Amino acid sequence: ADWQARMDEVRLRRESGEFEVDKIVVPGELVGDSEAGFYRVRRDFPLEHEHGCVTLGSVLETVPGHVALSACDDELAEFDPRTAAFVDIETAGLAGGTGVVAFLIGIGYFEGDMFRVEQCFMRDYDDEEPMLAYLAPLFGRFESVVTYNGKSFDLPLLRSRFITNRQPFRLEGIPHFDLLHASRRFWKVRLKDCSLGNVERTVLGLVRHGDVPSSEVPQIWFDYLRTRDARPLEGVFTHHRYDILS
């Protein structure tokens, strides 16, 4: 009986919105309104911010010719990290497909003497259209895009979602630096496993804290849609932010 009373209390608190994303997860804001909007988390990191054994500002020392060589792509011969969008998504399924949505879309970019990370989150399926309408002009600001396995997964899925919502996909056709392929060229023999997590540990010397495994992320979002309890999502936002910074 005591257990049932506690469960009823939690249910009532969920139904009242006490555990909603804007009250529980990392501080953010509602863009738009409750009827046509989405939740955005924005964080600025100083260039001196240490991510493993490197600082974010060290990215600005990148030699464009080295990027083009590591990517085997002459289109990146004039790559400039200050005009690049660093993109990562979390999806409702890891296999992709037409019906899979990107419920969390992140973009990192240099803004003055800071590196800004924006995480755009769908509180439900009807948040997708206003979220993509916000991202379309933001994506249009950049001259190149950087991802990790984005050529095979992130950008094709984003293209599908933008087309479905009749929004222009402004990352189409610009130079694309996929770090997964560069990582494999440098470290495949030594590391064997060139997943982002393994490269973080062995190359960047980074150990994540407060993270959740990628395989659990879709189910956490589905559970949130059912219960409106956003507390487990804090680990998803942390996981996603680590991906963009790395």
Side-chain angles (χ1 to χ4, degrees), residues 45-49 55-58 60 82 110 112-115:
F45 296 85
L47 299 184
E48 299 77 23
H49 177 81
T55 63
L56 295 180
S58 65
L60 300 178
R82 287 196 178 275
F110 287 96
D113 59 351
M114 308 290 287
F115 184 75

Side-chain angles (χ1 to χ4, degrees), residues 19 28 44 51 86 108 114 118 121 128 135 147 158 162 176 185 201 214 217 221 231 244 246:
F19 298 146
D44 289 341
H51 191 71
F86 297 77
M114 308 290 287
E118 295 197 32
F121 175 73
E128 183 178 42
L135 287 169
T147 65
L158 282 177
F162 273 83
H176 183 174
R185 291 186 182 100
R201 290 187 295 271
S214 297
V217 168
W221 186 63
R231 288 175 293 178
I244 296 170
S246 292

Side-chain angles (χ1 to χ4, degrees), residues 91 103 121 211-237:
T91 65
F103 69 84
F121 175 73
D211 192 19
V212 297
S214 297
S215 59
E216 297 179 10
V217 168
Q219 189 58 51
I220 291 175
W221 186 63
F222 286 129
D223 289 344
Y224 162 73
L225 294 181
R226 177 175 54 84
T227 66
R228 310 313 296 184
D229 186 344
R231 288 175 293 178
L233 282 170
E234 185 172 0
V236 175
F237 275 81

